[in-house]
Amino acid sequence: MRAETSSERDLLLRRLAGQRRHVLDQVEGLGDDQLRRPVLPSGWTCLGLLRHLTLSDERYWFGVVMAGQPLDFWPEGTNADWLVRDDESAASVISAYRAAIDGSDAIIADLALDAPPATHEEWWAESGQSFPDLRTVLVHVIVETATHAGHLDAVRELLDGKKYLSI
């Protein structure tokens, strides 16, 4: 195992925080109709993407995989982690994402980068992936969040012309 350095940890946590902020910045200022409107042919919505990040990235990778919490929050159905009911407010979906981030950060704060996951999944090996420690989980979630932030960049520009520039 590699020795952990505070600069490595700080870099990973700064990058994760930056991508999360990017996601939240891209949904800020959108109206309810815009947040619920599918823009791309795949049919997902901005709120659906936030739901996915909440469940799949934050709660699954940090809560279930790293902390060993139960996967009792996962909705039933195909791509159900992308679905937001009409009676759910946009504010509640955004708030749930922020709360999941806070929960993840609390878990991360208590673990070394070399900490092994509490939960292992068979599908990791089947898909050619390996997550031996918090470090690899952090990198995975950074990449996933950045990818979805890029999706939001395209959707936001199509919705109202706003461009996200990260300098």
Side-chain angles (χ1 to χ4, degrees):
M1 288 196 190
R2 257 178 20 198
E4 179 174 325
T5 65
S6 63
S7 61
E8 177 187 20
R9 184 179 187 86
D10 291 346
L11 174 64
L12 290 169
L13 296 180
R14 277 195 322 272
R15 294 296 183 226
L16 180 58
Q19 292 308 318
R20 290 164 166 169
R21 207 170 32 256
H22 184 158
V23 165
L24 288 166
D25 286 350
Q26 284 300 71
V27 298
E28 185 176 321
L30 291 175
D32 192 71
D33 179 62
Q34 293 169 312
L35 289 167
R36 294 176 188 277
R37 182 182 315 149
V39 176
L40 300 178
S42 55
W44 59 267
T45 67
C46 293
L47 287 181
L49 188 140
L50 283 177
R51 170 65 45 80
H52 170 73
L53 286 170
T54 300
L55 300 180
S56 180
D57 290 65
E58 299 294 339
R59 292 187 66 191
Y60 172 74
W61 285 105
F62 297 116
V64 174
V65 171
M66 292 309 304
Q69 297 170 357
L71 186 63
D72 58 1
F73 57 85
W74 202 262
E76 290 186 31
T78 304
N79 294 324
D81 62 316
W82 286 81
L83 302 178
V84 175
R85 294 184 325 268
D86 290 341
D87 64 343
E88 291 180 87
S89 72
S92 71
V93 174
I94 294 167
S95 178
Y97 181 53
R98 290 181 187 277
I101 288 169
D102 291 344
S104 295
D105 286 346
I107 291 165
I108 294 165
D110 288 339
L111 297 171
L113 291 179
D114 289 334
T119 303
H120 293 268
E121 300 271 8
E122 287 183 25
W123 68 263
W124 300 347
E126 292 167 3
S127 64
Q129 300 182 61
S130 174
F131 301 97
D133 53 31
L134 175 61
R135 180 183 286 107
T136 58
V137 169
L138 281 167
V139 170
H140 177 74
V141 174
I142 291 166
V143 170
E144 286 292 310
T145 307
T147 298
H148 291 313
H151 293 142
L152 285 172
D153 289 346
V155 166
R156 182 68 192 253
E157 190 171 346
L158 290 168
L159 283 170
D160 68 359
K162 180 183 175 193
K163 295 177 183 78
Y164 185 90
L165 299 176
S166 179
I167 298 173

